[in-house]
Amino acid sequence: MSGRGPSWGHLPALDGIRAFAVLSVVLFHAGIAGLAGGFLGVDTFFVLSGFLITSLLLAERRRTGRIDLIRFWVRRIRRLLPALLAMLLATVVAGRFLLDSDALALVRTDAYAALGYLANWRMIFRGTGYAAVTAAPSPLQHTWSLGIEEQFYLLWPLIVAALTIKLTLRRARTVLVVLCAAGAAASAVLCAWLYRPESISRAYYGTDTRAQALLIGALLAGVLAYAESRRPGGRAALGVTALLGAGVTGWLWHSASETAPWMYQGGLTVAALATAAVIAHVVVSPAAPMARFLGLAPLAALGRISYGVYLWHWPVFLFVTADATGLSRWPLLVVRLAGTLAVAVLSYHLIEQPIRHGALTGWRPTAVTVGALGVLIAVIGYATVPAVEPAPADAPVIAISVAPAPAVPGTPRRSRTPAPVVPINRPGRPGSAGNEPRITFFGDSVSWTIGTYLPPHPGMWTSVRSIQGCGIATLPRIRQLDEPFTNYPGCPAWESRWRKGVARDNPDVAVINLNRWELMDRYYEGRYQHVGDPGYDAYLLRQLDKAVTIAGSRGAAVVLLTASYTRRAERPDGSLYPEDRPERVDAWNRLLRAEAARRPGRITVLDLNPVVCPGGEFTWRVNRLKVRSDGLHYTPSGVQRVIAPWLLPKLAAVAAGTYRAPGQQPALTTPRSRRG
């Protein structure tokens, strides 16, 4: 290679590298076995981008004596922005009809962040609240990598241009190589330092932590431009290094894990270096067997549309679901891949290429861009306002009339003196107890929806002490939606919070409903376990025993509501996340019955599952009425028209000591005389 630097044109082998990179990401998101590390295809794109952008900038400086930054940025905008705008518009509009209200509210900011190429930082700081953390994956989550690349495209040309203004090109390349090496090393160190096993977001999405791949690509461009010759011996060494790099890449794509500590302690750096070795070989030796293989027509064709494939595959995967189509895994995958490919081809030929190659000239690109941005901002603002489900105008009024059972001789009576009550006033709810039975709901957010959305029910006083986002399992290391998570700050104190609720309300009946947080994988005794594992079941039973003891500590009858089947989110391959699997719900409900069996006659189990899942499986609707808002929580109308008419009379009977369930002893508590 002469000191004038490289002058290669378009290389089909580089398109082949793009094809493998996008295939690895798409098939990883499809849940294909053997591609656990397919997410590293994104790093392949990073390395390739760093290499090509730096090569173009150095070539322009060598050719013209300067770097036209405005022209560079305009080319990037024409190449990348139109397809992104189309994808954002389609995704937001589709989300209006397909996403639940919590997810839709989050997507608004996701869309604005993607539009500003700040999606990676949005994913880091998306929120720690219950709605954000437990929401299904965002249909715009994949735009995080586009954000990092665009931030690079904005800043890196400024640095390269600044280096070449005062320095000769040869000296500028030397400084550039040193700068890239130091920057990549600093990024790798920062990645290891910021990694946290309970939350990988900062290390995974950070511009600073992932810049190492881009800088390694830029380093390669500087080294190849700086090289003095293309000696055959050097080419042979590059060939061997490339074979090693391809082998390491294949192994990483097969074996790596997003959550493994070693990935953030050098693994990402190794992946980038392996890709750089392959790129260096096919660029220097375009006639070598590896380059010819990567340049095969089908691979090169896929590589040319890889940007569109990446843009569209994730929203297609999230919207074309097993629940919506009824398809099983492999037919579903075929439909998703065909849909992604079709949309990507249309995007390439109808949007990307025409605009990139001058379909709009003069003042028109600016006018069209401004107009498109304005329309998209307006559509995002309108389409992502969640539609609030109004309470039914004719919500039923469920009057409670209780005939107390006679006292059982010899049974201790409960205290007649309640603790001071702080009324929980809500529309349609009585603010004081009077002579009414007192019902308090405990549990998590699912319990909260039941207690909060009850219709007017004269003759019964209710309160809600459920803690949204908190179950009774408190082990801190959790797997939620296959990602690391930990308890909310207040969750480990659930026992004291429940005790305060009991002391304030002094209920006749304490209703406990627990669901998702007890069904997740938690790290226990050296490994992740879940309900159904004997050791973890023993832990859950101890926690459940505490919950029952606290809830009934002032003599309340305890009612355990069974968990129901859920479909909070699908994996991209269409399968359920572990915490949504029916066998876990069944295992948890068996534990509830086991706890009741340990205290015969003192705990009532009410089986809610058949009420909201009448066919023995998850359903969104019961008798055409939507009962689930997001696959987990209940809608107001679902509570008022389906759950409450079934539940409230049973709670009244439990309060009176008259409830009988098949094969179950009546509660031994004697009803209190009504308070005056």
Side-chain angles (χ1 to χ4, degrees):
M1 183 184 295
S2 70
R4 293 172 57 84
S7 58
W8 54 78
H10 176 263
L11 296 175
L14 297 184
D15 286 330
I17 292 174
R18 290 189 183 94
F20 274 106
V22 78
L23 272 175
S24 73
V25 173
V26 170
L27 296 180
F28 166 74
H29 286 154
I32 298 299
L35 272 175
F39 63 93
L40 289 169
V42 169
D43 291 82
T44 298
F45 279 117
F46 285 166
V47 176
L48 195 55
S49 293
F51 170 74
L52 290 174
I53 293 305
T54 306
S55 298
L56 288 171
L57 292 170
L58 292 176
E60 182 180 359
R61 169 64 173 80
R62 184 188 69 249
R63 195 173 58 251
T64 66
R66 61 187 291 270
I67 295 175
D68 189 337
L69 293 175
I70 300 300
R71 184 168 176 267
F72 170 84
W73 287 324
V74 168
R75 288 200 307 267
R76 290 293 89 199
I77 290 172
R78 293 174 72 98
R79 172 69 183 93
L80 301 174
L81 186 60
L84 175 66
L85 294 180
M87 186 275 294
L88 287 176
L89 180 63
T91 300
V92 168
V93 171
R96 175 70 179 179
F97 302 98
L98 299 175
L99 297 176
D100 63 79
S101 58
D102 285 343
L104 193 60
L106 292 166
V107 163
R108 180 191 304 112
T109 309
D110 295 346
Y112 288 139
L115 194 59
Y117 289 107
L118 295 170
N120 61 312
W121 295 103
R122 163 62 175 167
M123 294 305 151
I124 294 172
F125 301 110
R126 199 168 187 242
T128 57
Y130 179 76
V133 174
T134 60
S138 169
L140 299 175
Q141 183 169 313
H142 65 311
T143 59
W144 71 270
S145 62
L146 307 181
I148 289 179
E149 290 212 19
E150 283 298 324
Q151 293 158 36
F152 176 76
Y153 296 155
L154 177 64
L155 297 175
W156 188 242
L158 291 171
I159 295 173
V160 176
L163 287 175
T164 58
I165 288 176
K166 297 294 184 181
L167 302 175
T168 64
L169 182 58
R170 186 176 183 84
R171 183 170 296 178
R173 286 194 297 251
T174 302
V175 174
L176 188 68
V177 167
V178 174
L179 182 64
C180 288
S187 176
V189 170
L190 192 61
C191 184
W193 183 58
L194 291 174
Y195 168 76
R196 299 290 183 274
E198 67 275 9
S199 178
I200 64 173
S201 295
R202 180 61 182 85
Y204 189 86
Y205 293 121
T207 305
D208 45 6
T209 57
R210 300 305 288 268
Q212 53 185 300
L214 289 156
L215 292 173
I216 286 171
L219 173 63
L220 175 63
V223 169
L224 292 184
Y226 191 73
E228 291 293 335
S229 65
R230 296 180 180 176
R231 292 187 296 273
R235 292 187 181 185
L238 277 180
V240 173
T241 305
L243 284 174
L244 179 62
V248 170
T249 298
W251 179 81
L252 287 171
W253 286 1
H254 171 70
S255 305
S257 168
E258 289 175 293
T259 59
W262 63 268
M263 280 305 306
Y264 303 91
Q265 296 164 359
L268 292 174
T269 309
V270 170
L273 290 172
T275 296
V278 175
I279 293 173
H281 175 57
V282 301
V283 166
V284 171
S285 303
M290 180 180 290
R292 291 201 302 271
F293 168 72
L294 289 171
L296 290 174
L299 288 175
L302 179 59
R304 285 192 293 274
I305 65 169
S306 59
Y307 177 59
V309 171
Y310 182 82
L311 271 182
W312 289 99
H313 87 280
W314 183 248
V316 167
F317 274 34
L318 289 194
F319 290 152
V320 181
T321 64
D323 187 36
T325 64
L327 296 175
S328 58
R329 181 179 178 184
W330 292 109
L332 179 64
L333 177 60
V334 170
V335 169
R336 286 171 163 175
L337 292 178
T340 298
L341 189 61
V343 178
V345 169
L346 290 174
S347 173
Y348 182 77
H349 288 291
L350 300 181
I351 299 175
E352 298 170 49
Q353 288 299 97
I355 294 178
R356 182 183 182 186
H357 293 296
L360 300 174
T361 58
W363 58 268
R364 283 176 291 180
T366 301
V368 170
T369 300
V370 171
L373 286 173
V375 170
L376 183 57
I377 289 171
V379 169
I380 291 171
Y382 169 76
T384 56
V385 176
V388 179
E389 181 184 5
D394 56 343
V397 176
I398 303 177
I400 305 298
S401 178
V402 179
V408 179
T411 302
R413 297 183 66 85
R414 298 179 54 191
S415 169
R416 295 171 180 262
T417 306
V421 173
V422 178
I424 303 173
N425 293 313
R426 293 183 296 273
R429 305 292 179 83
S432 61
N435 293 323
E436 302 159 341
R438 304 164 65 83
I439 315 294
T440 298
F441 287 84
F442 295 94
D444 53 25
S445 60
V446 178
S447 175
W448 184 91
T449 62
I450 296 174
T452 300
Y453 297 153
L454 289 174
H457 44 275
M460 178 183 289
W461 184 91
T462 60
S463 62
V464 181
R465 299 297 180 182
S466 305
I467 308 171
Q468 296 189 61
C470 299
I472 58 175
T474 57
L475 300 169
R477 293 174 62 180
I478 310 171
R479 296 281 300 170
Q480 178 187 238
L481 301 182
D482 285 345
E483 294 186 358
F485 184 64
T486 191
N487 294 309
Y488 290 105
C491 291
W494 70 267
E495 296 178 46
S496 63
R497 296 170 74 176
W498 282 33
R499 286 193 182 96
K500 291 177 182 177
V502 171
R504 294 177 71 181
D505 295 351
N506 194 19
D508 296 296
V509 179
V511 182
I512 299 175
N513 182 228
L514 297 158
N515 197 305
R516 196 170 185 79
W517 298 104
E518 277 56 62
L519 307 185
M520 295 177 185
D521 289 357
R522 291 185 184 247
Y523 195 79
Y524 181 62
E525 294 183 337
R527 64 187 179 91
Y528 279 98
Q529 300 189 50
H530 56 79
V531 62
D533 291 336
Y536 192 67
D537 281 354
Y539 165 77
L540 286 176
L541 277 173
R542 289 194 297 272
Q543 296 297 101
L544 186 57
D545 197 62
K546 291 180 187 177
V548 169
T549 299
I550 293 169
S553 59
R554 293 181 64 91
V558 176
V559 168
L560 299 178
L561 278 182
T562 62
S564 53
Y565 300 133
T566 61
R567 189 182 285 271
R568 185 66 184 92
E570 285 184 7
R571 282 173 163 163
D573 68 354
S575 64
L576 294 177
Y577 284 100
E579 53 266 35
D580 279 320
R581 292 174 184 166
E583 55 268 27
R584 294 205 181 182
V585 175
D586 294 338
W588 170 248
N589 290 339
R590 285 195 295 270
L591 289 186
L592 297 182
R593 294 185 175 94
E595 175 65 16
R598 293 167 61 181
R599 304 189 188 201
R602 297 185 181 276
I603 298 175
T604 301
V605 177
L606 297 181
D607 196 355
L608 177 61
N609 202 17
V611 177
V612 294
C613 301
E617 60 184 19
F618 172 84
T619 181
W620 290 95
R621 297 179 181 275
V622 174
N623 297 328
R624 299 183 181 180
L625 180 72
K626 188 175 182 181
V627 295
R628 302 295 185 97
S629 60
D630 56 8
L632 173 64
H633 301 96
Y634 300 113
T635 62
S637 57
V639 172
Q640 293 170 1
R641 297 186 175 277
V642 176
I643 296 176
W646 168 85
L647 177 62
L648 291 180
K650 291 178 172 58
L651 295 182
V654 171
T658 60
Y659 178 75
R660 302 288 189 277
Q664 189 175 30
Q665 295 294 322
L668 295 181
T669 54
T670 302
R672 278 183 290 198
S673 60
R674 302 299 174 217
R675 302 174 180 85

